[in-house]
C-alpha cells in the first residue's frame, strides 16, 4: 500500500514538473504575440500640403466643414447620391429635406455647396486620406493650410476682391466672404495656384465647376446662405480656430464621432461605394444655435507615400461609378465657375 502511494506521488510530481516546463516555454511566445503593433508614420508636411491644396484657399468656415465632413466618407458618398437624386429641390425646400437626413452636421452643411460635395465624392481616395490626416493630426493639417495660403499670396494669387476678404492676423491668413450673406467657392487648379507646380494627388479627378485650368482663382455664382442659416448646422455655426488648430462647430472644437478612422492609424472599415454601410460611423455631433466668427495661429507638395486609409482598396480616384481618372492635362480650359450646380 505504501509502495503504491509513493509511486502515485512520484507520478504526480513528474506531471507537475512537465506542465510547469511547458508553461514556461509558452510564456515568452505569448508575450511576443501581445506586443502592440508599430503605429503607422504620420504624413510629412509636404504630403499634408498636397492633401489640403484643393481646399486651402476656401473661406475659413468652408474649410472647417470640409475637414469635419472628410472624417465621414460613407456619408459623403450617400449625400452626393442623395443630392443627385433630388436635384429638383432648391432653396428652402432643399434645406428642410437635408435637415431630415441622418447625416453629421458637417455633411448637411456641405449640401449647400453641391460642387464641393461632388468633388469629395468623385475624389473619394483623396477625401478619405484627408479625413485620416485630420482625425489623427489636426495640427499638422491646420499648419499645412496656412503654409499653402502663404505660398498662394506670395505667388500673387490670394488677395481681397469683390467675393472675399483676405486678412492677416499675427501671420495667420484669414479668408471670409466679402458679403456675409453670400459665399463664393473659388475655382482653381490646386497643383498650379501656389507658384511652383505641385505633384497632383494620384488619380485626381478635376470636377468641372470647382476646377479651373488657369493659374489664379476664378469665381462663379455665389451661394446665398439665407435658406440654410436657420438650421443648427448652417453656415453661421462653423469657423476655424487657427490658434487652437481645430475646426469649430458652435464655438467648440469639432469632435468627429465617426469610427472610420481610429487614432493612431486608420481602421480599415468595410466601406464600399456600391454598398454604403453606416456600420462604421455614428451620426451626429452637436446641434444648437449661435453664430460663429473664429479667428485665431498657424505651417509644403510632393508625391505621397502609401497611405493607410479606409479606402485603400479603391483606385486612387475612388472612381467606382465610371468616372475616369483623367489628369489635369485633359482639362486645359476647365470651368470658370466656382459655384457648380444649384
Amino acid at each position: 500500500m505504501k509502495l503504491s502511494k509513493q509511486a502515485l506521488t512520484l507520478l504526480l510530481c513528474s506531471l507537475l514538473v512537465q506542465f510547469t516546463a511547458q508553461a514556461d516555454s509558452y510564456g515568452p511566445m505569448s508575450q511576443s504575440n501581445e506586443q502592440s503593433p508599430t503605429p503607422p508614420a504620420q504624413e510629412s508636411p509636404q504630403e499634408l500640403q498636397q492633401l489640403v491644396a484643393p481646399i486651402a484657399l476656401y473661406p475659413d468656415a468652408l474649410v472647417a466643414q470640409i475637414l469635419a465632413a472628410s472624417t465621414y466618407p460613407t456619408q459623403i458618398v450617400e449625400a452626393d447620391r442623395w443630392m443627385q437624386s433630388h436635384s429638383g429641390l432648391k432653396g428652402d425646400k432643399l434645406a428642410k429635406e437635408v435637415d431630415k437626413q441622418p447625416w453629421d452636421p458637417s455633411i448637411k452643411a456641405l449640401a449647400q455647396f453641391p460642387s464641393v460635395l461632388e468633388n469629395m465624392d468623385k475624389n473619394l481616395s483623396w477625401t478619405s486620406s484627408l479625413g485620416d490626416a485630420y482625425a489623427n493630426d489636426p495640427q499638422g493639417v491646420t499648419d499645412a493650410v496656412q503654409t499653402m495660403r502663404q505660398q498662394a499670396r506670395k505667388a500673387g494669387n490670394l488677395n481681397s476682391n469683390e467675393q472675399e476678404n483676405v486678412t492677416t492676423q499675427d501671420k495667420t491668413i484669414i479668408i471670409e466672404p466679402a458679403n456675409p450673406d453670400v459665399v463664393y467657392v473659388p475655382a482653381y487648379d490646386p497643383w498650379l495656384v501656389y507658384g511652383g507646380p505641385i505633384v497632383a494627388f494620384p488619380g485626381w479627378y478635376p470636377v468641372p465647376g470647382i476646377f479651373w485650368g488657369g493659374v489664379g482663382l476664378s469665381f462663379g455664382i455665389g451661394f446665398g446662405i439665407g435658406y440654410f442659416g436657420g438650421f443648427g448646422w448652417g453656415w453661421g455655426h462653423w469657423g476655424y480656430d487657427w490658434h487652437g488648430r481645430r475646426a469649430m462647430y458652435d464655438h467648440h472644437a469639432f469632435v468627429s464621432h465617426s469610427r472610420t478612422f481610429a487614432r493612431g492609424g486608420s481602421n480599415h472599415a468595410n466601406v464600399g461605394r456600391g454598398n454604403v454601410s453606416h456600420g462604421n460611423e455614428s451620426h451626429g455631433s452637436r446641434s444648437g444655435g449661435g453664430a460663429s466668427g473664429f479667428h485665431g495661429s498657424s505651417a509644403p507638395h510632393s508625391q505621397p507615400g502609401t497611405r493607410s486609409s479606409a479606402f485603400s482598396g479603391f483606385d486612387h480616384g475612388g472612381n467606382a461609378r465610371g468616372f475616369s481618372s483623367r489628369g489635369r492635362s485633359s482639362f486645359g480650359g476647365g470651368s470658370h465657375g466656382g459655384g457648380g450646380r444649384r
Side-chain angles (χ1 to χ4, degrees), residues 281-298:
E281 298 177 358
S282 58
H283 302 295
S285 295
R286 298 164 44 87
S287 62
S292 62
F294 304 94
H295 308 310
S297 101
S298 63

Side-chain angles (χ1 to χ4, degrees), residues 16 32 80 87 163 244 247 255-256 262 278 280 282 291:
L16 181 61
S32 64
D80 186 44
S87 58
Q163 291 82 18
V255 178
S256 175
H278 297 286
N280 298 309
S282 58

Side-chain angles (χ1 to χ4, degrees), residues 125-334:
S125 179
W126 164 77
T127 298
S128 69
S129 294
L130 183 66
D132 190 355
Y134 182 71
N136 293 294
D137 187 15
Q139 294 187 8
V141 171
T142 301
D143 290 346
V145 171
Q146 283 298 320
T147 294
M148 301 313 286
R149 289 184 174 186
Q150 295 285 356
Q151 292 186 13
R153 169 169 279 186
K154 184 181 295 186
N157 295 325
L158 183 60
N159 300 289
S160 294
N161 50 42
E162 296 180 358
Q163 291 82 18
E164 60 186 22
N165 290 327
V166 181
T167 58
T168 302
Q169 297 182 7
D170 298 327
K171 298 182 179 181
T172 299
I173 296 179
I174 295 168
I175 304 176
E176 298 175 306
N179 181 343
D181 297 323
V182 181
V183 179
Y184 287 87
V185 180
Y188 61 91
D189 185 332
W191 322 119
L192 290 179
V193 74
Y194 298 101
I198 301 175
V199 176
F201 188 87
W204 178 264
Y205 176 81
V207 174
I210 208 168
F211 176 92
W212 179 50
V215 176
L217 304 183
S218 176
F219 294 87
I221 60 174
F223 293 90
I225 61 176
Y227 292 119
F228 290 76
F231 296 94
W233 39 265
W235 178 262
H237 295 266
W238 296 89
Y240 213 96
D241 181 2
W242 297 107
H243 180 72
R245 295 176 170 86
R246 291 279 185 174
M248 302 293 288
Y249 175 57
D250 274 348
H251 298 283
H252 295 83
F254 176 84
V255 178
S256 175
H257 297 288
S258 171
R259 293 190 294 272
T260 301
F261 306 110
R263 294 201 64 83
S266 296
N267 172 18
H268 292 268
N270 182 20
V271 183
R273 292 174 65 89
N275 182 20
V276 179
S277 168
H278 297 286
N280 298 309
E281 298 177 358
S282 58
H283 302 295
S285 295
R286 298 164 44 87
S287 62
S292 62
F294 304 94
H295 308 310
S297 101
S298 63
H301 25 254
S302 66
Q303 188 85 21
T306 301
R307 288 189 179 88
S308 173
S309 116
F311 293 88
S312 56
F314 293 98
D315 64 338
H316 285 293
N319 302 318
R321 282 186 291 165
F323 297 115
S324 61
S325 300
R326 287 168 288 179
R328 177 168 47 82
S329 59
S330 300
F331 284 73

Side-chain angles (χ1 to χ4, degrees), residues 106-127:
S106 61
I107 306 294
K108 294 181 179 181
L110 287 183
Q112 189 171 1
F113 307 99
S115 55
V116 175
L117 186 63
E118 180 184 7
N119 184 56
M120 297 180 74
D121 182 17
K122 289 185 177 177
N123 288 296
L124 194 58
S125 179
W126 164 77
T127 298

